Amino acid sequence: MSTRAGHDRQPADRLPVARICVDVPLPHLDRPFDYLVPAELDDGVQPGTRVRVRFAGQLVAGWVLDRVAASGHDGKLAFLDKLVSPERVLSAEIAALARTVADRYAGHLADVLRLAVPPRHARVEQEPGEPEPGPAAVPPAAAPPDAVSTAADGWAAYPSGPAFLRAVADGRPARAVWAPLPGEDWPARYAEAIAATVGAGRGAVAVLPDGRDVDRLDAALRRVLGAGRHVVLTAALGPARRYRAFLAARRGLVKVVVGTRAAMFAPVADLGLVAIWDDGDDVHAEPRAPYPHAREVLLTRAQLGGVAALLGGFARSGEAQQLVETGWAREIIAARATVRRHAPRVTPAGDDAQLARDAGAATARLPSLAFATARTALQAGMPVLVQVPRRGYLPAVSCADCRTPARCQHCAGPLALPAATATAQCRWCGRPAAGYACPHCHGRRLRAAVTGARRTAEELGRAFPGTTVRTSGRDEVLTSVPAEPAVVVATPGAEPVAVGGYGAVLLLDTWALLTRADLRAAEEALRRWLSAAALARPAADGGQVVVVADGGLAPVQALLRWDPGWFAARELADRRELGFPPAARMASVTGPAEAVAELLAALRMPDSAELLGPVPAAEGQERMLIRVRRSQAAELARQLRVAAGTRTARRAGQPVRIQIDPLDLL
């Protein structure tokens, strides 16, 4: 609805000034701007609605943050131009959260609101106010009165688990870091915690890494709460379905929202619990400015709102361990005897005992121990899971004569072989490499440098003739497999659940995870191994895990003992000694060298700040790291915002990307 043209516009009689966040991505304009509300739009322009205003001669979008009686601006105020919709999509709680997140990540409010509020879908706004029905919908049922006691039965294996549920049901801000048992039905436990929250009349938000995890929790919630009591909110839903789910939460039609990181800002009223699963997964990090992490957003919501928080995962991140060690959260773990009863038998194929039996185990991709373990499980009628870090056929090849990595003669990108009978091609530019000749020895034959999932499946098909071999990866992700003899080759994160559990889990090419140039390489390797190993049966039922790695390595030791807390404490201690996150705070400044130098010249760094770098980044860019104590993190973020605003106010032409605590420090 637009305002009337001409000179007859009159401001609203009551609270005529609207404070608006304009959608202009310039740091020096990161503040509310005051506009007059025309009298004819008085009823519709309310805090949380979308409007359009004239700003610097252009018509731009904005969100109404507040209505006030007078403005502190001395000049003449302009009238806002248009009310996009009377729907109040932005709640006061989410507006305050967005401001805090923007400050935490040295960003600006408009960028965060763009992440928090999905694009408008006009047709959806006109629909009846009901959540979208799901499969096998049944009339919503009230939570049973004994929901807490029933849920506590599922958490009985953890000494402090029932107490956490009682605290959630009582509305207390209990915060927990949960280490589930191997083979645990974690969606059921999450659903029980959410049911306890709903039973107390409060809402919950749960964020999960991917669509498969969302589907599992969605199904668990339907069993516990009944259909129509929650909505799923992911970016993959599409504009209409996503906006419909968002409105269901904003209008108070549902109290529970589950989804991927798109749900971290879900506007659930009377929030009582925030939960995240597998917070160490890098997909929880938002790739758009200001690059917030879902874990940090949810923890901020818990802190601002005084609500309960639950972080769960088979592995434990350094950030979760920091919460435990500082006392912000309590850990929920099972007794060691219970863990041993549920865990599969884990055997390394690279320790001295195995090398004494099989000298080739140090170099073999599938040592005799792994082969024998898989064969035993298949003969017993159980499925076998093989985890391979790389997808594709041969994702990297080298010269067969001198072992020099094969690279494209056009762009110097790595060559890969997409299939057994295909021609090698560049992974960067896609050009075929027909007629390849090694620049060092002029050899023309290629050999595998890295073996992918499809080639592994081909090799295992020959090793176990007559056995069904399935693959699960980017092209096709399997959800589950039946309890029958079969080999499932999967990349990390794509492992399907086996009915009854896998008889054997083989973790191959572990060097590809452990040797990555990444501060979190060992943590990430253990996270992926534990996620796969947790799908195996208990050792008493024949479940075995073979990890092709040296048993003396710390992450392998943590896997053998099934003790992610021990490894997380060790990692955190090392990072504390070296001054790396989460023990310290880091800011990354990336851009052309001149632009980075200009921003640093305008930056007033805290006393404890250290500059690390520069190091080359993308082509024509460099990267500087700024390290400060945790106590000075807020000041560093504030000063970075000021310095970025100084540059944009001067109309600096070259952009600089600012990230707080980026995952990729190396």
Side-chain angles (χ1 to χ4, degrees):
M1 183 186 300
S2 300
T3 61
R4 297 193 304 271
H7 301 284
D8 58 343
R9 289 180 298 181
Q10 295 296 323
D13 293 333
R14 181 176 176 276
L15 304 178
V17 178
R19 289 190 172 154
I20 296 174
C21 171
V22 293
D23 192 1
V24 178
L26 295 173
H28 70 284
L29 300 177
D30 184 25
R31 59 183 177 85
F33 288 86
D34 292 348
Y35 285 83
L36 289 175
V37 179
E40 63 270 23
L41 299 183
D42 185 21
D43 293 338
V45 177
Q46 298 298 324
T49 55
R50 304 184 214 238
V51 295
R52 294 184 72 83
V53 297
R54 291 285 171 183
F55 191 88
Q58 294 183 330
L59 192 63
V60 299
W63 295 269
V64 179
L65 302 178
D66 199 5
R67 290 275 300 268
V68 295
S71 171
H73 180 63
D74 295 333
K76 183 179 180 181
L77 296 181
F79 282 88
L80 64 85
D81 189 85
K82 180 182 180 181
L83 174 65
V84 175
S85 167
E87 189 77 47
R88 302 177 68 169
V89 293
L90 181 63
S91 67
E93 186 246 333
I94 298 302
L97 172 67
R99 179 70 270 172
T100 304
V101 170
D103 293 343
R104 159 75 168 80
Y105 285 95
H108 40 95
L109 182 60
D111 278 347
V112 181
L113 291 182
R114 222 176 294 120
L115 299 175
V117 182
R120 179 176 180 251
H121 199 284
R123 179 175 58 81
V124 172
E125 282 188 359
Q126 307 306 317
E127 294 175 351
E130 297 178 0
E132 182 173 322
V138 297
D146 60 345
V148 176
S149 59
T150 302
D153 294 341
W155 289 80
Y158 311 91
S160 55
F164 172 76
L165 287 196
R166 288 194 298 270
V168 170
D170 293 340
R172 287 178 280 150
R175 284 83 182 257
V177 174
W178 175 44
L181 289 166
E184 176 68 89
D185 185 4
W186 63 264
R189 304 291 84 78
Y190 266 52
E192 289 161 358
I194 292 172
T197 308
V198 174
R202 306 189 71 181
V205 173
V207 175
L208 306 106
D210 56 42
R212 289 195 314 150
D213 292 330
V214 171
D215 290 343
R216 293 182 66 187
L217 182 54
D218 177 33
L221 285 171
R222 291 183 186 279
R223 290 192 298 268
V224 174
L225 295 179
R229 302 293 297 276
H230 74 282
V231 292
V232 169
L233 182 59
T234 70
L237 290 176
R241 294 183 62 195
R242 181 185 178 187
Y243 195 55
R244 186 177 295 114
F246 172 85
L247 287 183
R250 180 67 185 97
R251 293 170 177 175
L253 301 176
V254 294
K255 284 185 170 292
V256 178
V257 175
V258 299
T260 53
R261 65 171 183 266
M264 60 184 169
F265 291 103
V268 174
D270 195 16
L271 190 63
L273 173 69
V274 294
I276 185 169
W277 172 255
D278 199 8
D279 69 290
D281 197 319
D282 57 8
V283 300
H284 284 304
E286 174 60 53
R288 294 171 292 177
Y291 317 105
H293 195 286
R295 176 190 56 242
E296 302 304 318
V297 172
L298 293 180
L299 295 181
T300 301
R301 294 188 75 168
Q303 187 70 21
L304 293 177
V307 303
L310 176 62
L311 289 78
F314 292 112
R316 183 180 297 180
S317 66
E319 287 76 9
Q321 181 65 23
Q322 177 92 352
L323 297 176
V324 172
E325 294 190 7
T326 58
W328 194 89
R330 299 284 299 274
E331 62 179 359
I332 299 178
I333 58 175
R336 292 304 303 168
T338 306
V339 173
R340 287 191 289 270
R341 202 162 52 244
H342 286 75
R345 179 184 178 186
V346 183
T347 308
D351 61 2
D352 293 340
Q354 290 301 324
L355 292 176
R357 297 188 184 96
D358 179 11
T363 56
R365 186 157 184 267
L366 189 68
S368 59
L369 172 65
F371 181 85
T373 301
R375 181 178 56 194
T376 300
L378 292 172
Q379 290 174 348
M382 297 181 288
V384 174
L385 173 65
V386 181
Q387 186 193 72
V388 182
R390 306 289 180 86
R391 61 176 180 262
Y393 192 75
L394 294 180
V397 292
S398 60
C399 173
D401 298 323
C402 69
R403 304 298 195 266
T404 300
R407 293 196 168 272
C408 176
Q409 62 180 351
H410 299 281
C411 69
L415 296 185
L417 196 66
T421 58
T423 301
Q425 65 183 39
C426 178
R427 286 167 49 193
W428 291 359
C429 68
R431 289 188 175 96
Y436 168 81
C438 176
H440 294 276
C441 70
H442 307 292
R444 293 185 174 275
R445 296 181 303 127
L446 295 173
R447 70 184 299 273
V450 177
T451 304
R454 283 195 290 114
R455 173 62 178 267
T456 302
E458 184 180 284
E459 293 174 350
L460 291 173
R462 291 195 295 265
F464 300 104
T467 301
T468 301
V469 179
R470 298 184 175 95
T471 59
S472 180
R474 183 181 63 174
D475 297 332
E476 181 185 7
V477 178
L478 303 177
T479 301
S480 62
V481 293
E484 58 186 32
V487 176
V488 180
V489 181
T491 51
E495 302 93 345
V497 177
V499 177
Y502 289 98
V505 174
L506 311 182
L507 306 174
L508 305 186
D509 299 340
T510 56
W511 59 268
L513 297 176
L514 293 172
T515 59
R516 292 189 309 142
D518 191 334
L519 174 69
R520 302 173 183 268
E523 179 183 289
E524 177 66 9
L526 179 60
R527 187 187 70 81
R528 295 184 177 189
W529 296 343
L530 286 171
S531 296
L535 301 175
R537 302 182 181 201
D541 296 335
Q544 297 191 68
V545 175
V546 176
V547 52
V548 184
D550 182 358
L553 298 174
V556 180
Q557 278 291 307
L559 177 64
L560 292 174
R561 297 159 52 181
W562 205 279
D563 196 351
W566 167 81
F567 180 79
R570 176 190 173 112
E571 278 285 292
L572 182 59
D574 290 345
R575 294 186 201 176
R576 187 178 292 118
E577 183 176 353
L578 297 173
F580 284 121
R585 283 287 171 83
M586 288 272 200
S588 168
V589 180
T590 308
E594 301 81 5
V596 171
E598 182 183 10
L599 185 138
L600 293 177
L603 177 63
R604 296 181 59 184
M605 291 187 292
D607 297 338
S608 68
E610 298 178 69
L611 278 177
L612 307 176
V615 294
E619 184 177 355
Q621 295 190 335
E622 69 176 27
R623 187 186 198 194
M624 291 288 293
L625 295 176
I626 307 170
R627 177 168 58 192
V628 297
R629 294 192 298 265
R630 288 180 61 86
S631 61
Q632 293 188 314
E635 177 63 15
L636 175 62
R638 189 181 72 82
Q639 293 296 345
L640 282 169
R641 288 177 58 243
V642 172
T646 300
R647 290 191 70 247
T648 57
R650 294 173 180 171
R651 300 181 183 275
Q654 296 176 312
V656 173
R657 183 175 63 190
I658 298 173
Q659 291 179 270
I660 302 295
D661 289 343
L663 294 180
D664 54 336
L665 286 175
L666 303 180

